[in-house]
Amino acid sequence: HRKGKIIIKYSSEIGDNIANRIITFEDFFVNNKGITGTIELRDVSINAAGYLQSVKKLVDLTISFPNGESVVFNGNRTREWIAGADDEDPTNNVYRITGSVEGKSTSGRSFTHEIVEPIIADWSCAAVGNFARIAGVVEMTHLGGYTNRKRTVDYGDGECDNTIVITNFRRTYTVTIEE
């Protein structure tokens, strides 16, 4: 259930595919969780490798829960469009994603969510029922308010499959999409 407004401001005319976009929220809720803060889509350009690239910046993006608790997110992610650009077929798009996000809750718990090996998202894999993310490693660390409990998500070695591996301080889990 959703209610409220998502407001998108463009740095230039609508339809300009490389315009910066500033996304804010007005009385916006998803399943009774309030969302405030800003998502900035910036610096859309062709990088040195020739790929279309953009930066997504979270600025005090806050999720507020009905019990009064909330979590605030800040950070940057860079997304490069490394395959499938400009052919109007979204099922063959491939992206490389890097960056990190920090979060802190009103209960004092904090974390860092860092992509330590670039994530590769291949939408042709999702189109056949597998995970889109086929490579890359994300680490959650600096878990303030928790004991030292690093968590890792490993999306694989680039093979289009239906598994990811999650490791926490106690054990390793394999998550599989059931057919």
Side-chain angles (χ1 to χ4, degrees), residues 74-91:
N74 285 285
N76 293 302
R77 291 256 172 99
T78 299
R79 182 175 79 165
E80 295 173 273
W81 195 352
I82 61 175
D86 296 329
D87 66 5
E88 298 184 27
D89 179 4
T91 64

Side-chain angles (χ1 to χ4, degrees), residues 14-138:
I14 293 178
D16 178 353
N17 291 335
I18 63 170
N20 290 333
R21 295 161 182 85
I22 307 298
I23 302 166
T24 56
F25 305 89
E26 184 178 301
D27 298 320
F28 190 74
F29 292 83
V30 176
N31 298 328
N32 295 320
K33 296 171 191 78
I35 302 174
T36 59
T38 305
I39 301 171
E40 300 178 5
L41 301 175
R42 296 194 166 275
D43 305 324
V44 179
S45 61
I46 302 297
N47 66 18
Y51 300 128
L52 184 63
Q53 171 179 299
S54 65
V55 175
K56 178 172 70 174
K57 182 176 182 181
L58 304 180
V59 181
D60 294 331
L61 184 69
T62 304
I63 311 299
S64 300
F65 299 94
N67 67 1
E69 295 284 324
S70 64
V71 180
V72 179
F73 299 90
N74 285 285
N76 293 302
R77 291 256 172 99
T78 299
R79 182 175 79 165
E80 295 173 273
W81 195 352
I82 61 175
D86 296 329
D87 66 5
E88 298 184 27
D89 179 4
T91 64
N92 70 358
N93 292 342
V94 180
Y95 299 97
R96 179 185 300 119
I97 306 165
T98 57
S100 65
V101 173
E102 294 181 349
K104 185 165 185 157
S105 72
T106 49
S107 65
R109 293 183 171 169
S110 61
F111 64 89
T112 299
H113 183 273
E114 182 176 2
I115 300 172
V116 294
E117 291 180 22
I119 292 172
I120 303 299
D122 184 337
W123 290 100
S124 68
C125 293
V128 296
N130 291 318
F131 284 111
R133 293 182 174 196
I134 61 169
V137 176
V138 174

